[in-house]
Amino acid sequence: MTNGNKYVVRQPIKDLQGIALGYEIRYTGENSGYAGDAGQDFMAADAIYNFLTQTTDKSLSGALNFMTFTVNLLMKHTPRLFRPEDLVIQVDDNVIIHPLAMRFVEKYAAEGYKVAANEFQFLPRYVSNLDRFDYIKINFRTTTDSGMRNIIEMAHEMGKKCIATNIDTEELYQKAH
């Protein structure tokens, strides 16, 4: 989807053999994000919601889709545009620290949706919510080697799946293996 300089794109998430396990749905464009002020968050949520209501049945069903949800998208019940088996609800810091948003996440998880923590960190707000996450996403560009090992070890001990992100060099690719 394009809207001026705004795009909704699908990026493959691959296993170590290069097989696509699913696709991350990403919103990019002016100020690229929805982690900024409330106005940007609302505009991004509105653009994504409109896109999904037009395309979910056609191009996004039948594959596992990872999508980052803002507080506004959660409150608009946007995850319900997907079947639970087709969606992993990704959450960032702004959702984790928002008590009402995490209640929505818990409600969706009870309905069968999977949940992922974006850029997991060893901070109390992430660790205290670890039982709510099915996937832990680790930024290979910004996480230290020791931090990465600790996160992966802890996640595996708790039965969580890990996803490495921001692997865009051969060196990071080799580190991920």
Side-chain angles (χ1 to χ4, degrees), residues 119-121 138-145 148 165-166 172 175:
E119 301 206 19
F120 186 88
Q121 303 167 41
I138 305 165
N139 185 335
F140 264 51
R141 186 164 291 292
T142 60
T143 306
T144 65
D145 288 349
M148 203 174 318
T165 64
N166 289 321
L172 290 174
K175 190 194 302 188

Side-chain angles (χ1 to χ4, degrees), residues 5 8-10 13 15 23 29 37 46 52 62 77 91 95 122 126-127 134 138 147 154 160 162 164 171:
N5 292 329
V8 175
V9 297
R10 289 175 58 185
I13 296 173
D15 66 12
Y23 298 90
D37 65 46
D46 199 44
L52 291 174
H77 303 288
V91 295
V95 169
F122 272 116
Y126 284 89
V127 175
D134 300 289
I138 305 165
M154 180 181 62
K160 312 298 178 184
C162 295
E171 178 185 347

Side-chain angles (χ1 to χ4, degrees), residues 10-112:
R10 289 175 58 185
Q11 177 179 343
I13 296 173
K14 297 180 179 182
D15 66 12
L16 292 174
Q17 289 73 42
I19 298 170
L21 300 173
Y23 298 90
E24 183 166 6
I25 300 169
R26 301 181 57 124
Y27 174 81
T28 61
E30 292 175 8
N31 297 325
S32 214
Y34 31 46
D37 65 46
Q40 287 293 325
D41 176 33
F42 182 79
M43 289 185 338
D46 199 44
I48 291 168
Y49 184 82
N50 290 335
F51 168 74
L52 291 174
T53 57
Q54 296 170 17
T55 62
T56 303
D57 291 340
K58 300 175 196 118
S59 62
L60 301 177
S61 63
L64 187 58
N65 296 285
F66 289 73
M67 183 175 164
T68 301
F69 284 83
T70 64
V71 174
N72 286 325
L73 286 170
L74 291 168
M75 291 180 180
K76 282 183 142 190
H77 303 288
T78 308
R80 291 197 180 121
L81 295 173
F82 294 85
R83 297 178 313 169
E85 60 271 15
D86 289 343
L87 180 67
V88 176
I89 298 170
Q90 297 182 150
V91 295
D92 285 330
D93 227 21
N94 60 336
V95 169
I96 291 171
I97 63 173
H98 193 287
L100 183 57
M102 284 308 291
R103 288 188 187 161
F104 274 89
V105 170
E106 290 171 5
K107 186 175 168 184
Y108 294 126
E111 294 172 11

